[in-house]
Every structure is written in C-alpha cells, then in structure tokens.
Amino acid sequence: MRLQMEWKVFYLSLAIAISLTTLRAQRQMEFLDRGVVAVMQGDGKVFVSWRLLGTDPEGILFHLYRITEGNEPIQINSDPLSATNYVDANVDPVTSNSYCVGAVVEGKELPLSRATKAWTQPYLSIPLRTLEGYTPNDASAGDLDGDGVYEIILHQAGRGRDNAQAGTTSEPVFEAYTLDGTFLWRINLGKNIREGAHYTQFMVYDLDGDGRAEFACKTADGTVDGKGRVIGDAQADYRNTRGFVLDGPEYLTIFDGLTGAVLATADYLPPRGNVRDWGDESGNRADRFLACIAYLDGVRPSLIMCRGYYTRTVLAAWNWREGKLSPVWTFDSDDAAPGNQAYRGQGNHNLSAGDVDGDGKDEILYGACAIDHDGKGLYSTGLGHGDAMHLSDIDPDRPGLEVWAIHENPRHPHGANLRDARTGTVIWGLPLTDPGRGLSMDIDPRHKGYECWANNSDGLYDGKGQKISHAKPRSCNMGIWWDGDLLREILDGGGGGRGGGFGGAFIDKWDYEKGITVRLLNGTEYQCVTNNGTKANPCLCADILGDWREEVLWRTRDGKELRIFTTTIPTERRLYTLMHDPIYRLGVAWQNVAYNQPAHPGFYLGHGMADPPHLSISTPRGGSK
C-alpha cells in the first residue's frame, strides 16, 4: 500500500529532487512537511490546501489523493495541479476522509505526504489544561520534535500587572501542545518572575540547527522546568512589599522544546544593577524587556534578549550551539562608544529583525533606532518611543525595505512616518500627537504598495504618503491574509478589562469602494475571544498550515480550548509558505513580544506584486533526541 511508505523515505526523495535548489542555500530555516489541511464544507465538498516550500523547484506540480477508511488513496485531479488548494466536490459526507498530496517533479511523482483527516467543523480544537485562575494568552509555533509539523507553545497568564502598577502577580506559566491536542509539558517561571506584558518575552526557534526548536526566556530562582526540576533556590522570594521584584539573581534559560527540560542557564544580560540608574525606583524602566531572533552571521540564528527602552537601552546577543550557551555581543546605549547615547529612549513596545542593509546579515529594528548585525549602532532617528512598527517592502517602487512607525511624543513633526529601513531617513510623515496604534498593509488595489494609517490619522494614506480616503478601518491592531486575493484582511476583536475579549474575535475585509469593513469570519459564533484588552490580539496569527495564507489561533471564552481557523476560500495565487520567508518567520517568533504586531514578509505581498524573490535557504533535518 502506497500510503504505508515510510515518511522518512518521502523526505529523502524530496531532498534529492530539490538538491540543485539547495546547493547554494545559506540561511538555515525549518524543515516543514506539506502541511496538508482539509475542512468539510457541507454539500459533499471538502476544501484542501497544502504548502509550497521555499526549497521546491520552480516547476513543481501536485497530485491530490482522497483516502477513505480502509481504502487505497484515490487520485482526485486528472491533470497535475499548479495551485496549492483544491475543492473536492464529490465526497460522501458520512465517510471519514483523509487527504495527502504527491509532489510531481519533471513528470515523476515523489512519495506521498502524510495523510491528514478532514476537519468536521470550521476549526481544529486543541483542548487545554488551563489552571484555575489562568487564561490562555500569547502563543508561538515551533517544530519541537523534528517531524516537519508545528507544535504550539502557549503563555498561560494569571493575574498580571503593568510595570507601573504595584501588587503581586500570578506565576507565569508556559505549556506546549501538539496540533492533535497532546500535552507535552508545563514550565512555571515561579514567584520571582512577575506576570505582565512587558516582563516575559519568550522565543521559540531552532537555535542550534538540529531540526528541533528550543524554548528560551528569562528565569529566576524558583523556576520549575518541564521535568519538575527547579532552577536555583526553590525557597527564595525576592518580591518586595509592593509586589515588585527588584532584587535577586536573573537568568536566561534555554529549554528543550520537546520535554521542557533545562538545557542551559546563564546570568541574564544586562543585570538590573541599581534600579534607579534606569530612571525610577519601581523598576518601571529597568524591567522593560524585549526579545527576538536574528541571523547575525547570515547563516545561523542567534537569540537577542533586551532590556530597557524609555531611557537606557541594552541588547545582548547569544548563541546556542553544540550544547553551549555563549554571549556574542552586548549593545548598551550608556557605553562610552561614540554615538551610543543617541540610542537612549528610542525603543518601542515591540521590535523587528531582518536584513535591511543588503549584506545578508540581520539587523534589529529597535523602535526608532537600528542595531547592526555586529552589535554596533546602525542609526538612531531620535523620534523616540512608540507602540507600533511595521517592517516590509511597503513601497515596492523604492529600493529596499521601509518602516511604518508611530511615536508617542515625537521630537519631530511626524508622529507617524514612513522611513527608509536601512538609513532611518524619514520619507514622509503625518503631524500626529501620541498615536496609540498604526498599521500598514495592502487593503486597496487601486494604489500600489501598502496603505498606512494610525488610530488618529485623518484618513488612509498610500505608501507614497498621498491621502487616498477620508475613511479608514477602525482597527489598527492586526492583519491576516485570508481570502483569495492578495489584499490583506483586518484581524481584530473586542477588548477591555482583564483578559480582554469581551467583544469577541473577527476577520473583516476593507471595502475600498464604500469605505467600510465587511465581516468574513465572526469568531464569536464559535465562542472565541481575543487577548490583551484593547490590543485585541489572537493567541497567534501565522502561516502554520496549508497554503501561503495565514491561520488564526483564538482561545475560547472559557479558556478550555485553542481553536485554529484556516481559510476555505479557493485561490489561484501560488506562493511558497510565508514561514520560509526569513523576515516573516522572524516576525512570527517575536509576535508575542509586549504589544503584539503582525508578521510581514521581506517582499511586497499585495496587488500587482512581482514574483517573490528566490530563497537562498537550507532546511536541515534533525529529529527526536
């Protein structure tokens, strides 16, 4: 039986077929399977989609197979498929059906992918082991076991506090689940890590290239790993009478992604030192943390852990390789290095990473400034702190990448502006005061490039700074590629109160002719809600299944499930998975950091786009240890 062919043979055959594509590969990215997803739609129809990989040869085609219980795979299509989605219109609704695809290279079909059972409802449910008093919050995705399928790592948040608010908090908890609902581990960071959006930034990524993602975050005495082992002194309690943690050791820990076990722990860089030196006595400035992943050498990923952005700003780069956690460099705005002082107070509640100067190595976009791959300052705009920032090819008529950013108290006439990502030069801006949100994505096909707006802008602007509409979307929070065109949709929900989500969760389409939004998916009908109050974020939005379009992960109102929604709208657009685009993949890794922002690719993805750039990546295989 063809389906029983061992899947490792399939992957080996595929690797041989695409070897010419990967000979020049440089950047190590994840090995992914075809990510086949199938959703029953009623009336005897099933929507099926699958991944085009960034390492696939240009002319690759596909055969699609339906498998009923106890039967051989039945090929559905007559001619090889170029598209990566298909509607199977002749399905027995009573029968349990599964689907798989066979890649066709130069007329030869390779072994079939693993089979996936069709969803019988519009979402995939992951049952959770949510603790009493906790709520599912931000999530990330990584391949924890090396099989080419993503697992989900979830922050379970209890009673939290902003850095400016006194009071004790719950102990931050993280859990890992497979897509089929298998619980893998729980890590409790303990009483010496405070709960809140600005305290615990977690990274999920394959840092050592062994094919399996690690989990990394700041820890302290009393942190309990996924095997029940305690880091440091289990009895230590450094909380002061106001509930702040301003004393005691601080650590950076790398955990095994599959088991949650500690792999390595080091002192966190930089140490808090004298809290007052950061600007106050409560830790409001000293305990502001950010994190990301960056390919500092252009080939292998490094972990970037950060502290501070209102005043002093410090970024520390680490490598986890060959079982050793090693510091690479530290950038400190208070160092005596010439020009470093200009980087004080320029950080955001979020950040981004990518190669913005074309040397093949990643820079860190730290709000209104940028740090080069070697740990030296690239530029500082002096525009100051802000709440949102977007890195992509926003204006495809200009060379290179751009940044759309907003600033709370700009020392510049442009509180929202588009800048050159390489130089920091402002291209155009809007004279706004303290915009709390800003978003950039293509929502109007009549104007090339991404549209830009802020919550207090007087309308919608194109990528060249021309006002194109007095009307604008109400939301400035998140975006998602959902329907069949290349425009991006609005991803939002109701917020307010602890845990947020009182208004539900939804996907809207911007009707650019009428200047209104049209509802495409109402998550409230499925008991889904959003997180983080007015930020109204999903747990995660990323291309984790099927074709290039994105999935959204929302929690249920009772906190007992994560529900994954995928589009069932056909499209003829053929793009490789966004998770193989370097800047987009890094964006998914940092999406959970502080004020969540959508991930953007490093190329223009919108109406009138050119073909995506050829990827120079490799996808090493690892596997369970």
Side-chain angles (χ1 to χ4, degrees):
M1 180 177 175
R2 299 177 64 191
L3 189 60
Q4 293 178 336
M5 179 176 292
E6 196 165 305
W7 57 267
K8 289 185 178 180
V9 176
F10 161 69
Y11 293 134
L12 177 62
S13 301
L14 181 59
I16 294 172
I18 62 179
S19 60
L20 292 178
T21 303
T22 58
L23 277 176
R24 299 180 181 178
Q26 296 180 6
R27 185 171 295 227
Q28 288 184 1
M29 302 286 285
E30 293 161 306
F31 173 86
L32 297 173
D33 73 359
R34 288 293 167 195
V36 178
V37 60
V39 185
M40 297 183 67
Q41 297 181 281
D43 298 325
K45 295 180 180 179
V46 176
F47 176 85
V48 190
S49 75
W50 57 92
R51 288 189 186 107
L52 180 69
L53 302 172
T55 51
D56 279 333
E58 187 172 340
I60 193 170
L61 300 171
F62 300 96
H63 289 154
L64 177 63
Y65 294 85
R66 182 197 318 125
I67 308 142
T68 56
E69 292 182 356
N71 293 328
E72 292 284 336
I74 301 170
Q75 184 174 325
I76 299 170
N77 58 298
S78 55
D79 298 319
L81 301 171
S82 175
T84 52
N85 60 90
Y86 189 92
V87 176
D88 184 7
N90 299 295
V91 181
D92 181 352
V94 179
T95 304
S96 177
N97 294 289
S98 296
Y99 291 84
C100 61
V101 296
V104 180
V105 177
E106 295 182 351
K108 181 179 179 181
E109 183 182 81
L110 302 180
L112 303 184
S113 71
R114 74 183 76 211
T116 299
K117 184 174 290 188
W119 302 356
T120 58
Q121 43 197 1
Y123 56 83
L124 178 67
S125 174
I126 299 179
L128 302 176
R129 297 189 182 184
T130 304
L131 298 170
E132 183 70 27
Y134 281 75
T135 301
N137 197 260
D138 295 336
S140 193
D143 182 4
L144 304 182
D145 56 10
D147 64 353
V149 178
Y150 284 117
E151 282 74 45
I152 303 300
I153 299 83
L154 176 67
H155 181 184
Q156 293 274 19
R159 181 182 64 256
R161 291 286 186 271
D162 186 81
N163 297 55
Q165 298 173 337
T168 58
T169 73
S170 301
E171 300 174 0
V173 168
F174 289 88
E175 296 174 341
Y177 296 87
T178 66
L179 294 184
D180 67 8
T182 301
F183 175 82
L184 296 177
W185 49 255
R186 176 180 291 137
I187 293 171
N188 187 321
L189 297 187
K191 63 177 70 74
N192 295 309
I193 296 291
R194 215 165 181 247
E195 176 63 83
H198 304 289
Y199 288 103
T200 299
Q201 320 306 342
F202 63 98
M203 290 291 106
V204 180
Y205 211 85
D206 180 9
L207 295 170
D208 58 2
D210 69 348
R212 296 205 294 109
E214 287 76 37
F215 173 79
C217 69
K218 182 174 177 284
T219 58
D221 282 350
T223 293
V224 182
D225 77 359
K227 292 289 189 179
R229 302 184 184 113
V230 179
I231 295 175
D233 182 356
Q235 305 305 316
D237 186 349
Y238 298 107
R239 296 172 295 182
N240 65 20
T241 57
R242 301 185 65 207
F244 295 109
V245 181
L246 304 177
D247 197 6
E250 302 174 287
Y251 309 122
L252 168 64
T253 299
I254 308 294
F255 297 89
D256 185 286
L258 183 59
T259 67
V262 170
L263 296 176
T265 295
D267 290 338
Y268 191 88
L269 296 178
R272 67 170 71 88
N274 187 336
V275 173
R276 295 182 183 89
D277 292 343
W278 296 83
D280 58 52
E281 296 184 353
S282 67
N284 186 31
R285 289 167 174 78
D287 277 2
R288 298 278 179 164
F289 299 97
L290 301 175
C292 68
I293 305 296
Y295 288 70
L296 302 177
D297 62 4
V299 179
R300 303 178 71 179
S302 297
L303 174 66
I304 314 296
M305 303 299 289
C306 316
R307 185 177 215 141
Y309 40 76
Y310 287 142
T311 52
R312 182 185 177 194
T313 293
V314 185
L315 292 77
W318 297 81
N319 283 340
W320 168 249
R321 296 174 186 175
E322 289 78 50
K324 184 178 180 182
L325 180 59
S326 307
V328 180
W329 51 250
T330 298
F331 174 89
D332 190 337
S333 66
D334 282 10
D335 279 351
N340 275 26
Q341 288 285 319
Y343 292 78
R344 284 179 60 90
Q346 301 304 308
N348 273 18
H349 291 309
N350 38 68
L351 75 176
S352 189
D355 177 17
V356 302
D357 59 7
D359 64 357
K361 303 171 184 179
D362 289 339
E363 287 69 49
I364 297 93
L365 280 295
Y366 203 77
C369 62
I371 310 303
D372 210 345
H373 68 274
D374 58 3
K376 298 177 181 178
L378 183 65
Y379 65 78
S380 177
T381 66
L383 291 168
H385 167 76
D387 286 2
M389 177 181 67
H390 305 275
L391 169 68
S392 190
D393 191 2
I394 294 170
D395 181 359
D397 290 336
R398 291 188 75 258
L401 304 176
E402 295 82 33
V403 175
W404 173 248
I406 62 171
H407 307 275
E408 283 189 359
N409 298 293
R411 296 180 288 275
H412 191 284
H414 303 312
N417 62 81
L418 190 76
R419 75 173 190 254
D420 186 292
R422 181 179 65 85
T423 66
T425 302
V426 172
I427 302 166
W428 61 269
L430 304 176
L432 305 178
T433 300
D434 195 12
R437 301 281 194 282
L439 194 53
S440 179
M441 54 192 195
D442 188 21
I443 59 174
D444 189 335
R446 299 172 297 184
H447 306 273
K448 190 175 181 181
Y450 293 173
E451 281 66 53
C452 303
W453 69 101
N455 65 305
N456 60 352
S457 64
D458 62 351
L460 194 61
Y461 289 77
D462 68 13
K464 292 177 169 49
Q466 301 300 310
K467 185 176 179 179
I468 61 174
S469 170
H470 290 290
K472 64 180 182 181
R474 176 185 63 84
S475 172
C476 286
N477 285 331
M478 298 283 282
I480 183 170
W481 277 288
W482 187 258
D483 65 7
D485 62 28
L486 294 173
L487 303 178
R488 209 168 190 183
E489 283 65 60
I490 307 293
L491 178 59
D492 201 8
R498 187 177 73 84
F502 293 128
F506 54 80
I507 297 173
D508 282 352
K509 181 79 170 178
W510 178 246
D511 185 331
Y512 53 87
E513 294 179 325
K514 296 180 179 179
I516 60 173
T517 52
V518 178
R519 187 63 38 93
L520 298 183
L521 176 64
N522 187 354
T524 309
E525 296 178 357
Y526 304 99
Q527 296 79 51
C528 291
V529 292
T530 52
N531 292 325
N532 304 320
T534 60
K535 314 300 187 297
N537 303 128
C539 296
L540 179 67
C541 175
D543 177 20
I544 63 170
L545 289 169
D547 61 29
W548 57 273
R549 292 169 295 177
E550 296 170 295
E551 283 64 48
V552 59
L553 282 69
W554 283 313
R555 64 181 173 96
T556 53
R557 189 177 295 276
D558 61 11
K560 294 181 178 180
E561 296 177 47
L562 282 184
R563 290 182 171 174
I564 304 177
F565 291 81
T566 190
T567 186
T568 57
I569 302 172
T571 182
E572 291 299 316
R573 298 300 309 201
R574 169 179 156 123
L575 302 173
Y576 49 70
T577 174
L578 298 184
M579 295 297 258
H580 273 170
D581 175 77
I583 289 181
Y584 181 91
R585 182 63 185 92
L586 297 180
V588 172
W590 56 245
Q591 187 179 121
N592 70 79
V593 171
Y595 291 175
N596 307 43
Q597 301 288 289
H600 301 281
F603 59 91
Y604 170 62
L605 201 172
H607 184 78
M609 67 177 288
D611 289 337
H614 172 74
L615 295 175
S616 182
I617 65 172
S618 63
T619 54
R621 286 300 309 277
S624 300
K625 293 178 181 176

